[in-house]
Amino acid sequence: MFVVGGESLIDLVQEPLGADGVIHMSAHQGGSPYNCAIALARLGNDTGFLCPISRDGFGTYLLGPLAAAGVTPLLAERVPAPSTLAVVTLNARKEAQYEFYRGADRAFTRDGLVAALPAQPRLFQIGGFCPIEAGDAAVWLDVARQALGRGAVLSIDPNVRPSLVADFAAFRRRLDAFFDLVHLVKLSREDLMALDAARSIEEHAADLLARPNCGLVVVTLGEEGSLAFTAAGSARAGIHVPPVFGDTVGAGDSLMAGILTFLAEQGSLQPARLRALGVAELGRMLRFGATVAGLNCAARGCNPPTRAEVDAVLAAAG
């Protein structure tokens, strides 16, 4: 089983201000790990999601897409804490302002998370909010070590959010502890610039590949595509542009799911095989991930494609 650990949340997004002057909000399921788990399942992977789900109505709303995609909630008992909210409002200049109200995503214990891990997970993917709070990070690191001990390949997509971090230097130290543990790191160019704007992408990648376990680094560049680095080579791929464009919500999470799926199917989701990936295979991996991400962008909000949809596009492209 592929296990994804981290937050699920509700995005409350302000609608255009009407004549009544009242702010109206729309609610959407979200959270980077949540999105990635759904994308993995839609691509045909046996997937479990390790995150507490609230007993409230939003919790029920979050469970719907997980069930539809075939994701197994590994913490079956729902929690009394309210669902975590990301509230997006617009200021007078129509610029988005974000406020996070965390609840159920932090309503866990170390023992509860470890007990919910499968006996032999194939992959443990972590990221999102996990490194933000010191206490949470310590628990998730212990869970990751447990998964590693059970034979899992470890991957991380930290989705760096400086606005959520009170002490960025301390956050960097916590993130370094995760980087020292995992086999695969995926970041955006914006993540890297937030961590150290003075270093090039190549310098960041070299630093990560010098860590004890890391064998593959993937960096997303928005409309400019993506890059991949191993000790054996590097590659670059462009984006897949869908016929009709919705938005980019969940594109990075979908790309990550595509990359993990490709590696698993090629027999490369193993520490030694990751380090040995060369230019040709890295290029194919990035193109597969880009196709998954591009198809997700054909809809509004995060809506990852099914495996059949991905295969149809790849077959048409030859």
Side-chain angles (χ1 to χ4, degrees):
M1 173 178 277
F2 286 7
V3 177
V4 183
E7 79 277 359
S8 60
L9 53 80
I10 297 295
D11 286 313
L12 288 179
V13 183
Q14 179 182 339
E15 300 292 338
L17 197 62
D20 58 4
V22 176
I23 292 177
H24 297 271
M25 312 290 288
S26 58
H28 309 271
Q29 303 99 331
S32 176
Y34 174 89
N35 293 340
C36 187
I38 290 172
L40 282 168
R42 288 189 180 177
L43 291 173
N45 301 290
D46 179 21
T47 306
F49 185 46
L50 190 61
C51 174
I53 302 293
S54 176
R55 296 175 188 165
D56 64 18
F58 281 142
T60 302
Y61 188 47
L62 285 164
L63 285 173
L66 294 175
V71 177
T72 301
L74 296 176
L75 294 170
E77 186 174 348
R78 294 167 68 174
V79 298
S83 293
T84 295
L85 303 179
V87 180
V88 187
T89 56
L90 304 176
N91 63 19
R93 294 187 296 177
K94 306 299 183 183
E95 297 169 332
Q97 298 174 309
Y98 298 85
E99 295 292 338
F100 292 88
Y101 301 86
R102 299 187 64 185
D105 77 291
R106 298 188 68 197
F108 54 72
T109 65
R110 177 199 175 279
D111 290 347
L113 293 178
V114 170
L117 272 178
Q120 293 181 307
R122 186 175 188 185
L123 169 93
F124 184 60
Q125 157 77 9
I126 197 167
F129 291 171
C130 295
I132 289 177
E133 300 289 342
D136 295 353
V139 170
W140 283 112
L141 275 170
D142 276 350
V143 177
R145 293 187 186 102
Q146 287 286 329
L148 182 64
R150 299 181 189 189
V153 168
L154 304 184
S155 59
I156 187 168
D157 181 1
N159 200 8
V160 177
R161 296 177 181 269
S163 63
L164 282 179
V165 180
D167 184 342
F168 200 75
F171 168 78
R172 282 288 310 272
R173 291 191 292 273
R174 292 193 292 274
L175 195 54
D176 277 339
F178 284 97
F179 287 158
D180 284 342
L181 196 63
V182 301
H183 303 102
L184 192 165
V185 179
K186 178 255 177 189
L187 307 105
S188 68
R189 176 165 50 192
E190 291 74 19
D191 290 336
L192 294 179
M193 295 305 99
L195 293 173
D196 188 348
R199 307 180 76 182
S200 69
I201 290 174
E202 290 75 15
E203 288 171 329
H204 277 288
D207 172 73
L208 290 165
L209 291 173
R211 305 289 177 124
N213 292 335
C214 184
L216 172 62
V217 176
V218 175
V219 180
T220 58
L221 308 171
E223 293 182 357
E224 297 174 38
S226 55
L227 299 165
F229 303 86
T230 68
S234 63
R236 181 169 189 156
I239 62 171
H240 170 74
V241 180
V244 177
F245 179 78
D247 59 39
T248 62
V249 175
D253 307 319
S254 298
L255 182 138
M256 183 64 166
I259 284 172
L260 293 170
T261 300
F262 178 91
L263 292 171
E265 292 180 356
Q266 297 299 310
S268 298
L269 199 59
Q270 305 171 36
R273 291 291 302 274
L274 290 175
R275 297 186 188 97
L277 291 171
V279 175
E281 192 167 11
L282 290 173
R284 291 194 297 272
M285 176 194 76
L286 290 177
R287 285 190 291 274
F288 187 92
T291 302
V292 178
L295 288 171
N296 174 79
C297 294
R300 296 291 300 274
C302 185
N303 186 23
T306 65
R307 183 54 189 268
E309 291 170 328
V310 175
D311 288 344
V313 169
L314 293 173

